[in-house]
Amino acid sequence: MAVLRSATGTLKNVLPLVQQNVSRGFSVTQLVSRFATLNFQHVQSPTISTVSKLGSPLDINIICAHKLSALKGVPHHAVSFQQPVRALTYCSLRKGKRKTVKSVVKRFLRLHCGLWVRRKAGYKKRLWKKRAARKRRLRQHVFCNRTQSKMLDKMTTDFWKRRNWYVNDPYQMYHDRTNLKV
């Protein structure tokens, strides 16, 4: 049912574009298929067959060929509504500067040599079913690879890349690395 609600929400966003472009001579099914994000390769007939009375927004009639029965047969990986995004602000509204993604600062630690340190995935999930050796491995910290480090550097500003001197820093021996290219 949630898939159907999301599909109708997508169509509601597309309908104003359809209304503007139908008068210009574009085909309605071409416009809807151009803007839709659903993957309906397994459906044999078109999803939207007719649109009539485009004069006012209340008089729009959309006839769906396979309503809920078509969406029930769709595997969960075939219907993807959300794209993976990095919530990176290139130009802020107040000062026009690039902003740091706060989740990067919370989850990762940047060493002065350019490496990033993170916890292993799943270190606090379902601990009741994991053995002691696996819990010990999950508690370890690991380095990010080169592509991840470059991406994390792009997601933070210069403030987070400067050198900090902390008293009794447990990562002090890792900040300076020799013969390392990042």
Side-chain angles (χ1 to χ4, degrees):
M1 197 66 182
V3 174
L4 183 62
R5 269 190 249 121
S6 299
T8 56
T10 304
L11 289 176
K12 284 180 186 176
N13 295 336
V14 171
L15 285 176
L17 296 170
V18 172
Q19 287 178 349
Q20 292 172 359
N21 293 321
V22 164
S23 61
R24 296 181 192 160
F26 290 103
S27 171
V28 175
T29 55
Q30 288 176 350
L31 287 172
V32 171
S33 65
R34 189 178 300 166
F35 294 119
T37 58
L38 292 174
N39 185 6
F40 284 113
Q41 294 176 352
H42 63 282
V43 179
Q44 294 174 358
S45 62
T47 305
I48 296 178
S49 57
T50 60
V51 175
S52 62
K53 298 180 185 177
L54 291 173
S56 65
L58 297 175
D59 295 332
I60 297 173
N61 296 325
I62 297 177
I63 302 170
C64 294
H66 303 283
K67 295 179 182 173
L68 187 59
S69 61
L71 292 176
K72 282 183 182 176
V74 176
H76 290 292
H77 59 83
V79 179
S80 176
F81 291 105
Q82 293 182 349
Q83 295 289 327
V85 294
R86 299 177 300 164
L88 180 62
T89 304
Y90 292 102
C91 185
S92 65
L93 293 175
R94 288 188 181 242
K95 293 198 173 185
K97 293 182 178 179
R98 195 179 183 101
K99 295 180 94 174
T100 299
V101 179
K102 296 299 180 186
S103 59
V104 170
V105 178
K106 291 177 186 175
R107 296 176 187 172
F108 299 89
L109 172 72
R110 187 181 190 275
L111 301 176
H112 185 66
C113 61
L115 292 173
W116 287 81
V117 180
R118 65 175 173 86
R119 294 288 295 264
K120 284 200 169 187
Y123 72 97
K124 55 184 175 182
K125 297 286 186 180
R126 297 187 184 97
L127 294 176
W128 57 271
K129 67 159 81 169
K130 295 176 182 173
R131 304 258 184 242
R134 186 173 178 192
K135 286 188 219 177
R136 188 170 48 252
R137 282 194 305 272
L138 288 176
R139 280 196 300 264
Q140 295 174 352
H141 289 73
V142 292
F143 291 116
C144 295
N145 62 22
R146 184 176 182 171
T147 56
Q148 291 168 345
S149 295
K150 282 187 176 182
M151 183 184 67
L152 292 171
D153 279 336
K154 291 175 187 175
M155 294 172 77
T156 53
T157 56
D158 293 336
F159 175 80
W160 300 102
K161 296 171 193 166
R162 67 187 173 132
R163 186 171 196 126
N164 291 316
W165 297 96
Y166 297 113
V167 178
N168 298 328
D169 187 10
Y171 299 101
Q172 182 64 42
M173 63 185 82
Y174 302 107
H175 280 294
D176 292 321
R177 297 288 297 262
T178 57
N179 300 327
L180 178 71
K181 292 181 181 177
V182 177

Short mmCIF file of all heavy atoms in Angstrom, two decimals, residues 16-27 31 34-35:
data_model
loop_
_atom_site.label_atom_id
_atom_site.label_comp_id
_atom_site.label_asym_id
_atom_site.label_seq_id
_atom_site.Cartn_x
_atom_site.Cartn_y
_atom_site.Cartn_z
N PRO A 16 1.36 18.65 -13.17
CA PRO A 16 1.47 20.04 -13.68
C PRO A 16 2.36 20.15 -14.91
O PRO A 16 2.08 20.94 -15.81
CB PRO A 16 2.07 20.79 -12.49
CG PRO A 16 1.70 19.99 -11.31
CD PRO A 16 1.68 18.56 -11.76
N LEU A 17 3.42 19.37 -14.98
CA LEU A 17 4.28 19.38 -16.17
C LEU A 17 3.54 18.85 -17.39
O LEU A 17 3.71 19.33 -18.50
CB LEU A 17 5.54 18.56 -15.92
CG LEU A 17 6.47 19.08 -14.83
CD1 LEU A 17 7.53 18.05 -14.53
CD2 LEU A 17 7.08 20.39 -15.25
N VAL A 18 2.69 17.84 -17.16
CA VAL A 18 1.92 17.28 -18.26
C VAL A 18 0.93 18.30 -18.78
O VAL A 18 0.78 18.48 -19.99
CB VAL A 18 1.21 15.99 -17.80
CG1 VAL A 18 0.25 15.50 -18.86
CG2 VAL A 18 2.22 14.93 -17.45
N GLN A 19 0.27 19.02 -17.86
CA GLN A 19 -0.72 20.01 -18.27
C GLN A 19 -0.08 21.11 -19.12
O GLN A 19 -0.65 21.57 -20.10
CB GLN A 19 -1.38 20.64 -17.05
CG GLN A 19 -2.35 19.72 -16.37
CD GLN A 19 -2.95 20.38 -15.14
OE1 GLN A 19 -2.47 21.41 -14.70
NE2 GLN A 19 -3.98 19.77 -14.60
N GLN A 20 1.12 21.53 -18.74
CA GLN A 20 1.78 22.60 -19.49
C GLN A 20 2.22 22.13 -20.87
O GLN A 20 2.19 22.88 -21.83
CB GLN A 20 3.00 23.09 -18.72
CG GLN A 20 2.67 23.80 -17.44
CD GLN A 20 3.91 24.08 -16.62
OE1 GLN A 20 5.00 23.73 -17.02
NE2 GLN A 20 3.73 24.72 -15.47
N ASN A 21 2.65 20.88 -20.98
CA ASN A 21 3.28 20.42 -22.21
C ASN A 21 2.33 19.73 -23.18
O ASN A 21 2.69 19.51 -24.33
CB ASN A 21 4.44 19.49 -21.90
CG ASN A 21 5.57 20.21 -21.21
OD1 ASN A 21 5.86 21.34 -21.58
ND2 ASN A 21 6.17 19.60 -20.23
N VAL A 22 1.11 19.38 -22.75
CA VAL A 22 0.17 18.73 -23.67
C VAL A 22 -0.28 19.71 -24.73
O VAL A 22 -0.44 19.37 -25.90
CB VAL A 22 -1.03 18.14 -22.88
CG1 VAL A 22 -2.19 17.82 -23.81
CG2 VAL A 22 -0.59 16.91 -22.15
N SER A 23 -0.44 20.97 -24.34
CA SER A 23 -0.86 21.96 -25.33
C SER A 23 0.22 22.21 -26.37
O SER A 23 -0.06 22.68 -27.46
CB SER A 23 -1.21 23.27 -24.63
OG SER A 23 -0.07 23.77 -23.95
N ARG A 24 1.46 21.87 -26.07
CA ARG A 24 2.56 22.07 -27.02
C ARG A 24 2.69 20.91 -28.01
O ARG A 24 3.54 20.94 -28.87
CB ARG A 24 3.88 22.23 -26.27
CG ARG A 24 3.91 23.46 -25.42
CD ARG A 24 5.23 23.57 -24.72
NE ARG A 24 5.16 24.59 -23.70
CZ ARG A 24 5.98 24.70 -22.69
NH1 ARG A 24 6.95 23.82 -22.54
NH2 ARG A 24 5.87 25.65 -21.81
N GLY A 25 1.94 19.83 -27.83
CA GLY A 25 1.97 18.75 -28.80
C GLY A 25 2.71 17.51 -28.33
O GLY A 25 2.89 16.59 -29.10
N PHE A 26 3.19 17.46 -27.08
CA PHE A 26 3.87 16.27 -26.60
C PHE A 26 2.85 15.19 -26.25
O PHE A 26 1.73 15.47 -25.87
CB PHE A 26 4.68 16.58 -25.33
CG PHE A 26 5.88 17.43 -25.57
CD1 PHE A 26 5.87 18.77 -25.27
CD2 PHE A 26 7.02 16.89 -26.12
CE1 PHE A 26 6.97 19.57 -25.49
CE2 PHE A 26 8.13 17.66 -26.35
CZ PHE A 26 8.09 19.02 -26.03
N SER A 27 3.25 13.96 -26.39
CA SER A 27 2.41 12.85 -25.99
C SER A 27 2.42 12.72 -24.47
O SER A 27 3.46 12.84 -23.84
CB SER A 27 2.92 11.54 -26.62
OG SER A 27 2.24 10.46 -26.09
N LEU A 31 5.63 11.99 -21.74
CA LEU A 31 6.01 12.88 -20.64
C LEU A 31 6.02 12.15 -19.31
O LEU A 31 6.93 12.32 -18.50
CB LEU A 31 5.05 14.07 -20.57
CG LEU A 31 5.22 15.11 -21.67
CD1 LEU A 31 4.10 16.11 -21.61
CD2 LEU A 31 6.55 15.80 -21.52
N ARG A 34 8.88 9.85 -19.06
CA ARG A 34 10.14 10.56 -18.96
C ARG A 34 10.42 10.99 -17.52
O ARG A 34 11.55 10.99 -17.07
CB ARG A 34 10.09 11.80 -19.86
CG ARG A 34 11.42 12.50 -20.00
CD ARG A 34 11.29 13.67 -20.92
NE ARG A 34 10.86 13.25 -22.24
CZ ARG A 34 10.41 14.07 -23.18
NH1 ARG A 34 10.32 15.35 -22.93
NH2 ARG A 34 10.04 13.62 -24.35
N PHE A 35 9.38 11.37 -16.77
CA PHE A 35 9.57 11.89 -15.42
C PHE A 35 9.37 10.85 -14.34
O PHE A 35 9.67 11.09 -13.19
CB PHE A 35 8.62 13.05 -15.16
CG PHE A 35 8.91 14.25 -16.01
CD1 PHE A 35 7.98 14.73 -16.90
CD2 PHE A 35 10.14 14.87 -15.93
CE1 PHE A 35 8.26 15.83 -17.68
CE2 PHE A 35 10.42 15.97 -16.72
CZ PHE A 35 9.48 16.45 -17.59
#
